[in-house]
């Protein structure tokens, strides 16, 4: 297997893991919202935390790094086509959003559920953070699906550059 093919394989696997993690987070978040048991709430959040670590954090970083390497090793380039530039910007934004908000929301919910179990449901801040986490999961999933679609269809054409005389 050539190095480029290996890199493409790693890139695709990392994206599949990231997308699968995003789907799992959304499904578990919905399940958590329907939960009426403090133990179930805690263990659902604990599983979401595990998915965040195992399927999202590192695979997103691998997708970014392999995507950057592929853009340099192929004729596609990093800023030659709009679809690649859009994917780069969205990937960086999703990673930063995950670091800044999603992880802290999830950690906050997990701590609260661990401390108060059933009582967490009656806490308005807990409920608001839960809605924020779910909205973030939906946004993450929509962005990943959009990036997958533009990788396939390659829309928007080439980025026009001005020639210097």
């Amino acid at each position: 297997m050539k190095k480029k093919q290996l890199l493409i394989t790693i890139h695709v696997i990392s994206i599949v893991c990231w997308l699968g993690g995003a789907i799992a987070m959304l499904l578990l978040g919905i399940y958590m919202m329907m939960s009426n048991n403090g133990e179930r709430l805690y263990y659902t959040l604990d599983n979401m935390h595990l998915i965040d670590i195992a399927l999202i954090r590192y695979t997103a970083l691998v997708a970014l790094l392999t995507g950057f390497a592929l853009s340099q090793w192929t004729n596609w380039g990093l800023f030659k086509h709009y679809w690649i530039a859009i994917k780069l910007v969205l990937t960086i934004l999703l990673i930063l959003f995950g670091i800044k908000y999603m992880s802290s929301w999830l950690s906050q919910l997990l701590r609260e559920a661990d401390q108060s179990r059933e009582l967490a449901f009656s806490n308005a801040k807990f409920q608001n953070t839960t809605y924020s986490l779910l909205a973030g999961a939906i946004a993450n999933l929509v962005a990943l699906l959009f990036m997958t679609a533009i990788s396939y269809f390659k829309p928007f054409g080439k980025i026009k550059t001005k020639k210097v005389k």
Side-chain angles (χ1 to χ4, degrees):
M1 183 182 275
K2 295 179 186 176
K3 290 179 185 178
K4 181 180 154 190
Q5 289 172 323
L6 178 62
L7 192 59
I8 291 170
T9 302
I10 293 169
H11 184 70
V12 170
I13 289 170
S14 67
I15 291 166
V16 168
C17 288
W18 189 5
L19 183 60
I23 292 169
M25 290 288 277
L26 179 61
L27 292 175
L28 282 171
I30 292 168
Y31 177 76
M32 176 186 62
M33 295 295 290
M34 295 185 295
S35 179
N36 57 2
N37 177 303
E39 291 300 311
R40 188 179 318 159
L41 172 67
Y42 172 76
Y43 289 113
T44 301
L45 284 164
D46 195 38
N47 284 321
M48 290 173 76
H49 181 67
L50 178 63
I51 288 168
D52 181 42
I53 292 169
L55 286 177
I56 295 178
R57 286 183 188 180
Y58 301 111
T59 58
L61 185 59
V62 169
L64 176 66
L65 295 175
T66 56
F68 181 77
L70 283 169
S71 72
Q72 300 305 307
W73 287 358
T74 63
N75 292 332
W76 291 108
L78 198 55
F79 294 105
K80 290 182 181 178
H81 300 270
Y82 284 107
W83 67 273
I84 295 174
I86 290 168
K87 283 179 55 177
L88 174 64
V89 169
L90 279 175
T91 299
I92 291 170
L93 288 175
L94 286 177
I95 290 171
L96 292 175
F97 181 73
I99 291 168
K100 175 80 174 144
Y101 298 105
M102 296 288 284
S103 282
S104 68
W105 290 335
L106 186 55
S107 295
Q108 179 185 344
L109 291 171
L110 186 58
R111 273 191 311 275
E112 182 71 28
D114 187 29
Q115 293 169 357
S116 55
R117 305 291 174 168
E118 291 92 17
L119 297 176
F121 292 115
S122 60
N123 182 334
K125 185 177 180 186
F126 183 88
Q127 290 177 356
N128 289 338
T129 304
T130 300
Y131 291 128
S132 296
L133 185 67
L134 280 175
I138 291 168
N140 208 337
L141 190 55
V142 167
L144 287 167
L145 291 172
F146 175 71
M147 288 191 289
T148 301
I150 65 173
S151 293
Y152 181 75
F153 293 110
K154 297 171 182 45
F156 314 123
K158 285 189 166 191
I159 297 174
K160 294 172 179 55
T161 55
K162 292 183 180 182
K163 294 183 180 180
V164 179
K165 290 183 180 181

